[in-house]
Structures are given as structure tokens and as C-alpha cells.
Amino acid sequence: DQQVKQNSPSLSVQEGRISILNCDYTNSMFDYFLWYKKYPAEGPTFLISISSIKDKNEDGRFTVFLNKSAKHLSLHIVPSQPGDSAVYFCAARSGTGYSTLTFGKGTMLLVSP
Amino acid sequence: DAGVIQSPRHEVTEMGQEVTLRCKPISGHDYLFWYRQTMMRGLELLIYFNNNVPIDDSGMPEDRFSAKMPNASFSTLKIQPSEPRDSAVYFCASSFGATGGNTIYFGEGSWLTVV
């Protein structure tokens, strides 16, 4: 049973436009969410995160929004650039003590010039 | 500082052979993870260690899989005997501490093909 779901396997966007990647989760104990970016033949790298006490976190062109009531988060990239073309993984962890990250299956973003 | 280092980067082996994947975590990190990536299941956690001790191996698919961490700077993931369905990218990752929000750092992965 997938606790973190990325229902869009792929997304195509034109350069300069906004890219919106979505993620849904089912575990109400999740309290910290992360996005990882993965280029071909490389390992995933951390991109941006958000705590459940916030509803928005921004870092340059990247903004993550969290809607706890809907158990939904999204990653916005504005403006999108060809170098953003990669697979984006949503991940979540729950609060008490140490817990591992649960990843979604990923969304492949293609930004065309 | 060097990142997480994995070897081999690519491995092609015949069904039934033993496969050993190796990992050197980032120096000072006390958590080490083995993940497997497939198209069907995405990134799955296989096992993780804290201070060289295996904490949770519930993700290890079956007894053919085993992992060890003899010291803080080295870990292995072994598959014996290997099967074609084991073909995947295996990632090792490490992190420091147990505070909320800690980031996991991944290696570049070991691409395994079992024919």
C-alpha cells in the first residue's frame, strides 16, 4: 500500500512556464515532507522540504505547498528551465523518534525550450 | 567532503550468481540506508543501520538478500542467488543524527542487471 502517491508519472512543460508536481499521502502521522530531484545515472538529491507546521516554503524558483487537511503537497517551479528536467520524488517521514523516509514513485518532468 | 560512494556502478550477472554491492557513507554519518529503485515500485527502503547496527530490515524482499555494516565506513548488500527480477538500481544513502528534518544523501547507485 503506497503511503506516498505521485499519480502523474510524467509532466511536460515549456520553458518559462510554471511546473506543478503533486503528491498525496495517506499516513496522518507524517509531519515532514521533502522533495528530491534525480537526474539520469545519478542518485536523488535533496531539493526542498516543509514541516507540517507550515503551509508554504520557498527557495528561489522552488516553492512547496502543504495542505494538511487534504493530505496533499505540491512543488511549484517558476519559471521552469530545461535544466529542471529530471525525476522528482516526494518523500515523507513521521514524527516520533527517528523514522525513515517513505518515497513516492516519482514524476518525470520534461521542460522543453 | 566526498559523498556516498557506491561500487560497482554497473553489474551484469547471470541468474544464480552471487552479487555484492558496496557502499562507503559520508564520514561522520551515523545512519546508512539501502534503497532499491524499480519502475513498478519506485524507491523502496530495503534496510537501514544506525551506528553499524541493523535497525529495520523489513524491506528486504527475501532471504536471498543480506546486508552488513562491519564498520562505520563500509556496508555491503549481497544477493545470493541472484534472479532476473532483482534487476534494479540499488542506492546506498547516509544521514546524520535523528533530528527532525535530517536530509538523506544518496550515492550514484549500482545498476544491476541479472540475465
Side-chain angles (χ1 to χ4, degrees):
Chain A
D1 181 33
Q2 285 262 307
Q3 296 187 64
V4 177
K5 300 177 184 178
Q6 294 178 257
N7 292 318
S8 298
S10 63
L11 175 68
S12 292
V13 171
Q14 281 196 315
E15 182 178 8
R17 300 286 186 103
I18 183 171
S19 295
I20 301 176
L21 294 96
N22 294 304
C23 178
D24 297 293
Y25 61 96
T26 58
N27 188 342
S28 58
M29 298 299 292
F30 287 147
D31 70 343
Y32 200 84
F33 305 89
L34 304 90
W35 284 93
Y36 278 75
K37 177 179 180 179
K38 183 186 178 302
Y39 291 117
E42 295 184 10
T45 55
F46 170 73
L47 183 60
I48 192 170
S49 62
I50 187 167
S51 165
S52 60
I53 62 173
K54 297 184 175 182
D55 56 16
K56 176 182 174 181
N57 188 27
E58 190 172 351
D59 183 2
R61 297 184 298 112
F62 302 90
T63 303
V64 56
F65 295 91
L66 176 63
N67 182 333
K68 283 185 65 179
S69 61
K71 293 190 176 68
H72 176 83
L73 64 156
S74 61
L75 174 67
H76 293 210
I77 307 173
V78 183
S80 301
Q81 299 173 354
D84 297 329
S85 298
V87 176
Y88 289 80
F89 290 97
C90 174
R93 65 178 294 273
S94 57
T96 54
Y98 184 85
S99 64
T100 58
L101 293 181
T102 301
F103 284 85
K105 291 186 179 181
T107 297
M108 180 179 292
L109 174 65
L110 177 62
V111 181
S112 54
Chain B
D1 186 17
V4 176
I5 299 172
Q6 291 186 245
S7 65
R9 289 297 313 277
H10 299 272
E11 174 95 5
V12 180
T13 191
E14 290 186 345
M15 182 174 63
Q17 296 297 307
E18 178 180 292
V19 174
T20 300
L21 307 178
R22 298 172 178 79
C23 175
K24 182 180 187 311
I26 292 173
S27 176
H29 282 190
D30 54 352
Y31 285 83
L32 183 139
F33 309 85
W34 283 99
Y35 282 88
R36 177 172 68 175
Q37 184 190 9
T38 60
M39 290 293 290
M40 289 296 294
R41 301 175 70 87
L43 270 170
E44 301 175 272
L45 177 66
L46 300 177
I47 185 172
Y48 80 93
F49 296 82
N50 176 219
N51 291 323
N52 314 338
V53 176
I55 303 300
D56 183 355
D57 65 354
S58 60
M60 296 285 259
E62 35 193 287
D63 292 344
R64 298 184 296 106
F65 286 69
S66 62
K68 294 181 179 179
M69 192 167 185
N71 57 62
S73 59
F74 183 67
S75 177
T76 59
L77 177 67
K78 187 174 292 188
I79 309 172
Q80 167 63 22
S82 57
E83 296 182 3
R85 59 189 167 130
D86 301 331
S87 298
V89 185
Y90 291 81
F91 288 102
C92 178
S94 69
S95 70
F96 174 73
T99 56
N102 55 297
T103 301
I104 292 178
Y105 296 86
F106 284 83
E108 294 187 321
S110 292
W111 294 66
L112 174 64
T113 302
V114 183
V115 297

